[in-house]
Amino acid sequence: HTFLNKSLKRNDSACITFLYPGEVYAPRKIDALLSGFKNYLKDRPHSKLIFVGNSKFADFTNYESLIDSGTIERHGYTKNIDVFYERADVLIDLNANIENDVFLSSKVCNYLSYNKPIISISELGSPVRSMMSGYQTIIHCRHNSEEIYAAMHSARTTAEKYVDDRNDLRVKFSPDVVEKKFYDD
């Protein structure tokens, strides 16, 4: 299988850009993410957190100054999402804040083709944890601001020393393999 190498040259490691392209709604709460990022900014003040998609239901109260300064960016839906992927150093997979959730986000499967660290925010017992644990470049944390803060630091370190450790996942979730499995089943 051939996979796209979508890694890009990193900018100054003091300025890390985190990207969440997707919808924010009731079970996908961003309060812990915002709080963890705000704490991370104390260590890396030039970093950014970008939301692309529907975040109208998200509560950005107490973060207006970060939005006004451009540290947090909010963008609507776009057909040209690659522009944002190019800017990102770290991709965020935000799952429902539900223990033993049964859904695996398609987003994390799409992220596998990008040579960028992934922070997967999910609760214990989630499919993403059971299927994608043990990979250096996929950092798991719960909806907890301290864990997210630590995951952001870990992702920064991983981005600087990137090791491609998820080729088996790329194969497992490739369209050809998934299609064959469905057909065989």
Side-chain angles (χ1 to χ4, degrees):
H1 296 274
T2 305
F3 297 98
L4 299 174
N5 180 355
K6 298 180 180 178
S7 100
L8 297 153
K9 289 185 180 177
R10 294 210 357 76
N11 297 328
D12 175 11
S13 66
C15 179
I16 300 293
T17 300
F18 300 92
L19 173 65
Y20 176 71
E23 218 171 310
V24 177
Y25 59 92
R28 276 192 197 153
K29 298 179 189 241
I30 61 167
D31 51 335
L33 172 59
L34 292 170
S35 178
F37 178 68
K38 189 172 185 177
N39 288 333
Y40 182 81
L41 285 174
K42 294 174 187 172
D43 304 326
R44 303 283 176 185
H46 301 291
S47 298
K48 285 188 174 282
L49 175 57
I50 301 173
F51 293 89
V52 179
N54 181 2
S55 63
K56 67 182 176 183
F57 299 109
D59 185 4
F60 288 93
T61 305
N62 300 323
Y63 300 96
E64 294 92 349
S65 64
L66 296 179
I67 293 169
D68 292 343
S69 71
T71 302
I72 293 177
E73 295 181 19
R74 293 177 3 175
H75 302 273
Y77 286 107
T78 179
K79 291 184 180 192
N80 192 8
I81 191 70
D82 287 340
V83 171
F84 293 101
Y85 280 120
E86 289 172 11
R87 290 180 59 198
D89 298 300
V90 177
L91 305 172
I92 296 177
D93 176 45
L94 182 64
N95 294 276
N97 188 1
I98 301 169
E99 199 165 309
N100 298 313
D101 187 18
V102 297
F103 295 104
L104 177 68
S105 74
S106 60
K107 186 179 299 32
V108 74
C109 297
N110 293 336
Y111 286 172
L112 294 174
S113 64
Y114 291 86
N115 288 335
K116 296 172 187 258
I118 299 167
I119 295 176
S120 181
I121 304 169
S122 67
E123 292 305 308
L124 300 176
S126 69
V128 70
R129 283 178 181 264
S130 64
M131 297 174 85
M132 298 184 184
S133 289
Y135 295 89
Q136 271 187 312
T137 59
I138 302 173
I139 300 112
H140 297 276
C141 59
R142 293 177 300 145
H143 286 262
N144 172 291
S145 62
E146 290 84 17
E147 287 186 26
I148 293 169
Y149 165 82
M152 288 178 163
H153 276 289
S154 181
R156 180 186 58 81
T157 304
T158 301
E160 290 171 357
K161 300 188 241 178
Y162 183 75
V163 176
D164 189 10
D165 68 340
R166 54 189 190 227
N167 281 334
D168 62 323
L169 287 173
R170 289 174 173 166
V171 171
K172 184 178 183 176
F173 289 99
S174 70
D176 293 341
V177 172
V178 171
E179 179 184 21
K180 182 173 179 355
K181 181 160 176 42
F182 275 130
Y183 180 78
D184 291 346
D185 288 349

